[in-house]
Amino acid sequence: MRTIPHFVNGQEVEQTGVTPVFNPATGEQTSSVPTPTKEYVQSVIDIAQAASIAWGQTSLSKRTNILFTLRALLVQRTDELAQIITNEHGKTLADAKGEIARGLENIEYACGLTEHLKGGFSDQVADGVDVHSVREPVGVVAAITPFNFPIMVPLWMSGNALASGNCVILKPSERDPSAAVFLAKLLKEAGLPDGVFNVLHGGVDVVNQLLESPGVDAISFVGSTPVAKIVHETGTKHGKRVQALGGAKNHMVVLPDADLNIAADAAINAGYGAAGERCMAISVVVAVGEIADDLIARITERLDKLKVGAGSDPTSDFGPVITAEHRDRVAKYVHNAPSEGITVVRDGTTMTSQPGFFVGPCLLDNVKPGTKAYDDEIFGPVLSVVRAATFDEAVQIINANKYGNGTAIFTRDGNAARLFARQVSVGMIGINVPIPVPISSYSFGGWKSSLFGHSHIYGPEGFLFYTRAKVITTRWPQPSDSQIDLGFPRTR
Ligand code: NAD
């Protein structure tokens, strides 16, 4: 059985595989990932620390060239990378290519590093005194990533962290670890010096060691909310800067004046794409007024046409979920729903008898806050419909939810949309856009339990997170300026 190697100091490092990796479309184990010892983890931290000295001094033009080359390689090798993602994650090839394209945007943004790392300069702030500021790398960044975007999330972090002059230790999800190693090899081919970008596999113990080690300076984490919270608490306790993005429950409000065909299409795309395993997936449709029955009829009409199958089959609309345990967990929410007063309009869990970790589309109606199907992040192809009498009630529902990653409103009323955007406690908002993932020149991040720490990820906030500021005050005195003055320096 194949073992997925670590990638450390510019080369693949084989160790005994421990954790199985599956092809979710067949249910078969395809490889395994190693769990490194404490000593090995420490040696990787030491390598990254040592490499960070020279990398932090590398000219901006050399860094830019490497990132430009990486971009070209990612474009050239997209098909190969998409296949790797589909084999381990299960999403369709088209969706894997979409993920690569959105990740690439972040590399393109990082290529503008000479602009993003520009400091300020103030001339003559006092007589003969000038001030300028620079941003320096923080040192070693640990990037800990989830299974659902095995290349996009590593690219969210790596582009800006490397552009800023940091070394990276990427700890990918154990469930689909190969894309991370592929990225490391492309970076080496692009000319990145050895030790600057390393991939270290493992689970909880490895993450804890990265969080506690004095050799790691910053933590970028994306994953589920309970883990994000622990990562933030532990990392900050050990003196690191931490951005920890967590789970979500994203609501799509449909107002009575909306075009219901457009809204139904959006609910299907954003609710069931990638089997609902997106942090920006729509998991709740809030139908306002009297439109719920009509909207549900249009959604079910579309569900009849969806094809669930292997991600490598170009006719599949979505693939399996990530593991057998996750398939069973998703099914449990649907099976328990009637006992919570919920109407099961479509039960796709009957697919569970097929080989592979498949769950077909599920649709729940009359879902209410306080039920498990509503309160928990299910992270599967399960769309819940909540009925709300008014716009205000819809906003209240969203604001009472513990998550605040993304939300959307479907309407023809510009004023209602504007009020919605101003009133909801959510980080990313779509107006007639169901998955409002910001382009790479804005930063990505939710509110409430969807993000711990104050920094959003990628974009301008990414550059701030991966650098620290230094301000330099300069005077070139004349010999005649010599004097003793014990007073606090003043500018006037
Ligand atoms: P996860 O929290 O199980 O794992 C994320 C990472 O943390 C993995 O690398 C894993 O090895 C590690 N990990 C797992 N348990 C840990 C523990 N107890 N202590 C330390 N490290 C641990 O998440 P997942 O299942 O891989 O990914 C899905 C989750 O990620 C969903 O909740 C989804 O909403 C969320 N997500 C959020 C965003 C966002 O931007 N907010 C983006 C993608 C995914």
Side-chain angles (χ1 to χ4, degrees), residues 257-270:
D257 72 331
D259 179 322
L260 293 190
N261 283 325
I262 288 177
D265 285 345
I268 294 282
N269 299 340

Side-chain angles (χ1 to χ4, degrees), residues 144-149 153 156 171-175 202-204 207-208 221-225 227 230-231 245-248 278-279 377 379 405 444 450:
I144 302 155
T145 55
F147 82 83
N148 67 323
F149 285 110
V153 172
W156 280 2
K171 208 303 286 168
S173 168
E174 315 87 300
R175 300 178 206 160
V204 180
V207 173
N208 284 339
F221 173 91
V222 175
S224 58
T225 286
V227 182
I230 294 171
V231 164
L245 282 75
R278 292 179 181 142
C279 60
E377 183 188 37
F379 220 55
N405 216 36
F444 178 108
S450 295

Side-chain angles (χ1 to χ4, degrees), residues 41 86 143-144 221 289 325 453 466:
V41 174
T86 296
I144 302 155
F221 173 91
E325 296 73 40
Y466 295 126

Side-chain angles (χ1 to χ4, degrees), residues 71-280:
R71 186 201 172 274
L73 289 170
L74 278 165
V75 170
Q76 239 173 51
R77 311 276 292 272
T78 288
D79 287 350
E80 203 182 327
L81 178 55
Q83 192 65 61
I84 290 171
I85 294 170
T86 296
N87 289 349
E88 290 183 353
H89 177 284
K91 63 177 72 177
T92 63
L93 284 168
D95 205 32
K97 286 180 193 170
E99 159 177 8
I100 297 167
R102 292 308 304 263
L104 261 177
E105 277 181 19
N106 294 99
I107 302 303
E108 287 160 4
Y109 182 77
C111 284
L113 62 100
T114 47
E115 185 65 28
H116 307 315
L117 291 172
K118 250 188 197 168
F121 187 91
S122 299
D123 179 54
Q124 187 74 346
V125 295
D127 285 342
V129 177
D130 305 326
V131 176
H132 75 278
S133 65
V134 292
R135 297 206 69 90
E136 295 191 351
V138 291
V140 174
V141 173
I144 302 155
T145 55
F147 82 83
N148 67 323
F149 285 110
I151 196 68
M152 183 180 80
V153 172
L155 290 174
W156 280 2
M157 301 167 179
S158 315
N160 290 357
L162 294 172
S164 308
N166 300 285
C167 285
V168 173
I169 301 172
L170 169 61
K171 208 303 286 168
S173 168
E174 315 87 300
R175 300 178 206 160
D176 45 12
S178 295
V181 180
F182 190 86
L183 173 62
K185 288 199 224 161
L186 291 193
L187 275 162
K188 179 166 170 107
E189 199 180 329
L192 192 73
D194 293 349
V196 175
F197 185 85
N198 307 281
V199 176
L200 183 66
H201 300 294
V204 180
D205 292 344
V206 173
V207 173
N208 284 339
Q209 198 176 337
L210 292 169
L211 295 175
E212 291 168 14
S213 167
V216 175
D217 302 284
I219 306 283
S220 286
F221 173 91
V222 175
S224 58
T225 286
V227 182
K229 193 163 183 290
I230 294 171
V231 164
H232 182 254
E233 282 166 6
T234 314
T236 50
K237 198 170 109 196
H238 287 84
K240 299 173 204 322
R241 49 178 74 185
V242 182
Q243 49 179 195
L245 282 75
K249 196 87 189 179
N250 305 312
H251 299 67
M252 170 177 149
V253 173
V254 184
L255 294 188
D257 72 331
D259 179 322
L260 293 190
N261 283 325
I262 288 177
D265 285 345
I268 294 282
N269 299 340
Y272 300 101
E277 290 177 325
R278 292 179 181 142
C279 60
M280 290 290 276

